[in-house]
Amino acid sequence: MNLIRAILLLIIFITPLKANTIYNLIKIPNLEIYEINTKNKLKYFYAARPFRLGTQKNIVCSNSNKKDLGKKYKIIHKNLSRYSYNYLKKINLKYIVMCENLSISELYTAGIPDNVMKTLILDIKFNEDYFERVIHHEVFHVMHLQHKNIFNEEEWVKFNNSNFKYAECSTCTKKISLEQYQETKGFFTEYSKSTASEDMAEVYSHMIYLKKKEINQIRKSDPILNNKISYIENKIMEIDNSFTF
């Protein structure tokens, strides 16, 4: 009887201990471990209950059911397995948080990168048409935050036609579509036209997601995108010269 009581007490105390340990790592409450034994050492957590973040508690995300988590984890893991441990270490990404209905100040978003806490929060219910590519889009933002000295936005702007101007911020424009243009003309998507950093992220994510043959065809037909792709290739080489698209 005493043994049974001891086992029950152990189970009761282990769960909050894990939750507290996760919180101490990445400062996000209500998380539990999903998978931590991965080849590239990424550690995956999920929201067991809804959480709020930020000084104004304006970042909100909800918990998901096990079926949705299982389905989306496979997709996320498959895509992030593309990155080696060394690559992830250099861009400062170590933790993935899975939840749904992710928003900042009531504006829904696919992901929130935090290079300081080495964390990427992903909304597993984001539009399935773009979900896989958006994973890489958000990875770029982690990398960009970590290496702002490498990805120079003033250099990037010069690739565009002189009469083109980005918006002041990604939420200050109605250019939000992630559908790939049939005729690119310097941009992969409408969302690429929002800000320089979003444009970079869109170029990077397409370079990862599209087949090499498709990228080469775009490079031949679109000189602006050819320059942007070359720029991303060269900058990635500065961070990790073993990485290949």
Side-chain angles (χ1 to χ4, degrees):
M1 191 70 173
N2 288 335
L3 178 61
I4 294 172
R5 285 184 64 189
I7 292 170
L8 287 172
L9 285 170
L10 184 63
I11 291 170
I12 290 168
F13 284 115
I14 280 176
T15 301
L17 182 63
K18 283 182 179 178
N20 290 338
T21 302
I22 295 168
Y23 182 78
N24 289 336
L25 282 173
I26 59 178
K27 306 303 179 188
I28 300 177
N30 303 336
L31 300 184
E32 291 187 10
I33 293 170
Y34 194 89
E35 179 60 72
I36 56 174
N37 297 313
T38 62
K39 188 176 180 180
N40 58 11
K41 299 185 182 180
L42 272 178
K43 302 184 187 307
Y44 293 82
F45 305 118
Y46 70 97
R49 298 180 301 283
F51 62 76
R52 286 181 174 271
L53 301 174
T55 54
Q56 297 178 329
K57 302 295 182 184
N58 61 329
I59 298 173
V60 182
C61 209
S62 304
N63 54 302
S64 303
N65 62 56
K66 289 185 178 180
K67 184 178 179 181
D68 289 336
L69 278 169
K71 178 184 175 184
K72 289 303 176 68
Y73 169 73
K74 289 178 182 177
I75 295 171
I76 296 168
H77 179 264
K78 180 192 78 173
N79 281 274
L80 293 182
S81 292
R82 175 78 183 267
Y83 303 109
S84 69
Y85 167 72
N86 286 333
Y87 185 89
L88 294 169
K89 188 175 181 180
K90 289 171 182 175
I91 69 172
N92 229 26
L93 179 58
K94 190 173 183 179
Y95 308 108
I96 304 298
V97 173
M98 301 181 293
C99 57
E100 62 180 71
N101 298 321
L102 177 63
S103 65
I104 308 176
S105 300
E106 300 184 351
L107 296 172
Y108 287 100
T109 181
I112 297 177
D114 185 343
N115 65 308
V116 176
M117 301 308 297
K118 305 179 182 181
T119 301
L120 174 57
I121 306 173
L122 289 173
D123 183 351
I124 68 168
K125 283 297 184 73
F126 190 76
N127 191 322
E128 291 200 7
D129 291 340
Y130 313 114
F131 184 71
E132 288 191 70
R133 183 168 60 75
V134 162
I135 294 169
H136 303 289
H137 178 110
E138 298 302 335
V139 167
F140 178 83
H141 283 312
V142 176
M143 178 166 51
H144 188 198
L145 288 168
Q146 183 66 20
H147 295 283
K148 282 200 169 184
N149 59 317
I150 291 178
F151 297 96
N152 188 306
E153 294 188 14
E154 290 183 4
E155 290 179 5
W156 185 267
V157 168
K158 293 175 183 177
F159 294 134
N160 297 319
N161 292 325
S162 58
N163 60 346
F164 175 81
K165 288 187 179 180
Y166 292 109
E168 291 185 11
C169 64
S170 59
T171 57
C172 304
T173 175
K174 294 182 179 179
K175 294 183 173 71
I176 60 172
S177 175
L178 291 171
E179 184 177 357
Q180 185 182 330
Y181 285 132
Q182 293 297 313
E183 294 184 27
T184 52
K185 296 182 181 178
F187 301 93
F188 274 110
T189 63
E190 183 183 57
Y191 191 52
S192 299
K193 297 177 179 180
S194 58
T195 66
S197 64
E198 296 299 348
D199 192 9
M200 289 183 193
E202 282 293 88
V203 171
Y204 176 85
S205 66
H206 278 83
M207 290 169 69
I208 296 285
Y209 184 70
L210 295 179
K211 293 178 181 177
K212 190 74 174 178
K213 183 179 178 181
E214 293 176 89
I215 289 293
N216 288 338
Q217 287 175 342
I218 290 168
R219 297 186 80 158
K220 289 176 182 177
S221 63
D222 190 326
I224 293 176
L225 270 181
N226 180 48
N227 288 334
K228 290 179 177 180
I229 291 167
S230 294
Y231 182 88
I232 295 292
E233 284 177 336
N234 292 334
K235 298 304 179 181
I236 296 297
M237 288 289 286
E238 290 183 35
I239 296 168
D240 185 344
N241 60 14
S242 67
F243 184 78
T244 55
F245 286 95

